[in-house]
Structure formats: structure tokens, C-alpha cells
Amino acid sequence: MPRKHTSMAPAVILRVTALLRFILLVAGAATATATATAARFSRVFSFGDSLTDTGNLVLLPAGRDVPERRLPYGQTFFHRATGRASDGRIAIDFIAEALELPRLKPYLAGEGADGFRHGANFAVGGATARDAGFFQRRGLRSVPVSLATEMGWFKELLPLLASSCPQEQRKITASSLFFVGEMGGNDYLNAIFQNRTLDEAKTFVPGIIDAIRSSLTELVGVGAKTVLVQGMLPIGCEPRVLELFKLKHGRSTGGDGDYDADTGCLTSFNELAEQHNRVLTAALDELRRAHPGTAILYADLYRAVTDIAVSPRRYGFGGEPLFACCGGGGGPYNVRLAARCGDEGTAACGEPSEYVSWDGIHYTEAANRVIARGIVKGRYTVPPISLSVSSSD
């Protein structure tokens, strides 16, 4: 008697199809990331905001009076202010060191092609993912530099590095690491610190991710083969945000779900960061499928910081990870919203290496080292690969 043919159940077909897609995605990512792992990058080009800026903001009119222009910023490593928003080096400095490349010069220093033989830093403190017009239409103040602005600077520099020869330009981009630092934080903070609701800030997420996706597509289009994209930091762990919430609501602790029991961070603000990161990682998955020849890596800044917040002593810090080193407010966060680090009435702590937060928004050199090493060793990257040249980094 002939065997009766039976069709697979629709649910089984869907599961098999999904599994095959996942296998193909992993295989494609493995091929691209294997190239990234083996590569010795000739240059690094970086984009972002104050977490990545090595001195561009202080060269702009918008940075005329910012505290990053003076000590105690830069005191730990450089012994002078360099425009970095830290007491010393920032994450991109440590990433360049791990790749055995010089620290990146700010693009606006205008040193010409010879000054950027090992790459350039286009990041600007206060930069946003969305353009200035987006904020103007909503009555919000912002630094007039967006991710698109920074991309424009890169496209101006590239022909200078390769004498306008497209083939040479693609050789440069193919052998470079492109680091897109955290973008979108200032978009959200512009709203939060200008008395807009958290719900309004959450509506910014799709447009911010679209702006990041557009810039990444441009980088792939000019021949980028390795792109490292940093996610959103845990906004609810920022001492200045915690202080703002405390002043508005009259408390810094509570059992009503405002504060995470493990970290002391604000859960509602961290949910915004988590939403951003979910949408961002989905966009990166789409880009990987569309461009299987490019290694598009996600750097999980959120997990890097919350790991420290949960167990600060494990990473060499003191027991108060939400307490700013440089401030003047005392209280639970050492923050005064009316003043910033370096202003009259503020002071830096004696041992910045024991602190996670430098000034209530940015990280100390010690925290930046931990974050960067976790990224270059693959602990905080997706897919989890090492970018480090030396096994000792």
C-alpha cells in the first residue's frame, strides 16, 4: 500500500525557516567578523558625542565656555585640559592603544592630511543624532552638530587622504576601523533637562535610530569593512539625572519601583536606554543581512556600565558608583545641577581612579579603561570578537 504523504504543520515550517535564517545570519556574521579579528587596522575614524570627543567641541564657538577647556579635566593623564570630558583618557584612546595606533586627533584641529594618517576623530561634545532643526521645531536648545555633520566632515577628509582616487579611498576605508560612539544620549538629555517628559523623549527613538542607520549605510557605501557601533549608556545611572529626579520628586530612594534594587539606578530612565538599544540592535541585524561582507559590531555600553554599578569593587572601584568624583553638591550623588565640574564651589576628589563617574555625566579614566578593554576583548561586543592586537591588553 503506498505511503500517504503528509504536509508539515505550518508552525513547524515557520520554526525551520527561522532556524535556517538564523544559521545564515550567523554564518555571514562569522565570515565578516573573522576578517575583523585577523585585521591589523591602519586607521581609526570615530564619530560620536562627548564620550568620544578628543577635542573638537572646544574648537567650536559652542565650546567657548565649556568646563572641558580647563583643569581639573585632563588632570590624571595629560596634566592639562585637552577637551576630553574626563580626568584623563576616554574609551576611544584605549581602543586606539589596544590597536597599537596613536591617539586620535580631533578633526577640527585642521592639521591636514599628514596629521590624519592614522585616522581622525569627528566626535563633538553635545552632538546629537538628529539635526539642529529637529530640536528647534520643538523649542529645545542643542549643540548645532549632528551625526550627519560629522559624516560630512569625514567625506571632506577622505579625498584628501587619497588624492580623490576612488580605488585608493576604498583601500583606506577597507583597512580602517570605524567607531560610532554612543549617539542619541544628548537627544534624550536635551529633552529631560529642559523639562520635557520621559514619554516625549521616548518618541525620539525611531528617528534617532534612523539617523544612525543612515550614517552606517553611508560608511558601508564608501567601502567600510569593520564598523563598531556603541549602544546607549544606562541613562538612569547618571548622577546628574539621579539628582534631577531627586529634586523633582523629593527622594533619592524608594520602594515604589523608581530605583533598581541592585544598582540604585532609575528604572524608568534605563528603560528608555533599553528601548533604544533594542531598536538599534534590530537595525544592525538588518544591515548585516543587507551587507554580509561588512563586520558590523555592537558594543554594549549599557551592560559594561551596569556590570560596574552592580559590583564596583570587582572592577577596582569604591563602593559608591553613582557618586561623582568632581562635583560640589554633596548628598547621595555629589552633584549640583546649577554648577559643573570646574565651576566655583566644585572640587575634584582625591583619587579619581576609585570613582566611576567623573562629573556626573561622563566617566573617569579608570572607568573608561574598563569599558574599552571589555569592548576590545570582545566581552561587550556582539558578535563577541576581540579587536585587540596584543593578548595582554
Side-chain angles (χ1 to χ4, degrees), residues 70-82 84 86-89 325-326 341 347-353 358 365:
R70 55 188 181 271
L71 290 168
Y73 286 84
Q75 67 175 25
T76 297
F77 182 80
F78 301 101
H79 309 296
R80 61 183 178 86
T82 65
R84 289 169 172 81
S86 179
D87 61 306
R89 289 166 290 183
C325 167
C326 186
C341 173
C349 61
E351 294 292 339
S353 63
W358 164 241
E365 176 178 282

Side-chain angles (χ1 to χ4, degrees), residues 138-293:
R138 286 160 179 77
L140 294 169
R141 299 181 303 278
S142 69
V143 170
V145 175
S146 68
L147 183 55
T149 308
E150 296 177 14
M151 284 297 303
W153 292 339
F154 166 68
K155 288 185 286 187
E156 288 175 1
L157 177 62
L158 186 57
L160 300 180
L161 299 176
S163 302
S164 299
C165 174
Q167 291 80 10
E168 289 301 313
Q169 290 176 20
R170 294 188 82 83
K171 283 182 182 178
I172 288 173
T173 54
S175 63
S176 300
L177 172 66
F178 289 86
F179 179 76
V180 180
E182 172 271 313
M183 285 300 289
N186 288 316
D187 301 61
Y188 303 129
L189 292 177
N190 283 343
I192 291 166
F193 281 103
Q194 294 179 55
N195 297 315
R196 302 302 174 86
T197 66
L198 191 58
D199 285 340
E200 180 177 351
K202 287 179 179 180
T203 67
F204 294 1
V205 173
I208 288 170
I209 303 305
D210 283 346
I212 296 171
R213 181 193 291 110
S214 176
S215 291
L216 297 177
T217 301
E218 285 189 69
L219 292 177
V220 174
V222 297
K225 293 299 180 185
T226 309
V227 186
L228 180 61
V229 185
Q230 200 171 47
M232 183 54 54
L233 75 167
I235 299 170
C237 298
E238 296 292 282
R240 289 187 74 87
V241 173
L242 285 155
E243 179 68 12
L244 176 69
F245 185 88
K246 177 174 75 73
L247 292 176
K248 282 187 173 182
H249 298 275
R251 61 186 186 278
S252 58
T253 58
D256 57 359
D258 289 335
Y259 296 88
D260 180 78
D262 294 325
T263 63
C265 302
L266 287 163
T267 54
S268 56
F269 287 83
N270 278 354
E271 285 168 1
L272 167 60
E274 291 168 0
Q275 178 185 345
H276 172 104
N277 289 335
R278 283 194 300 273
V279 181
L280 175 61
T281 53
L284 298 184
D285 285 342
E286 292 174 5
L287 287 169
R288 290 188 192 105
R289 288 192 290 269
H291 307 284

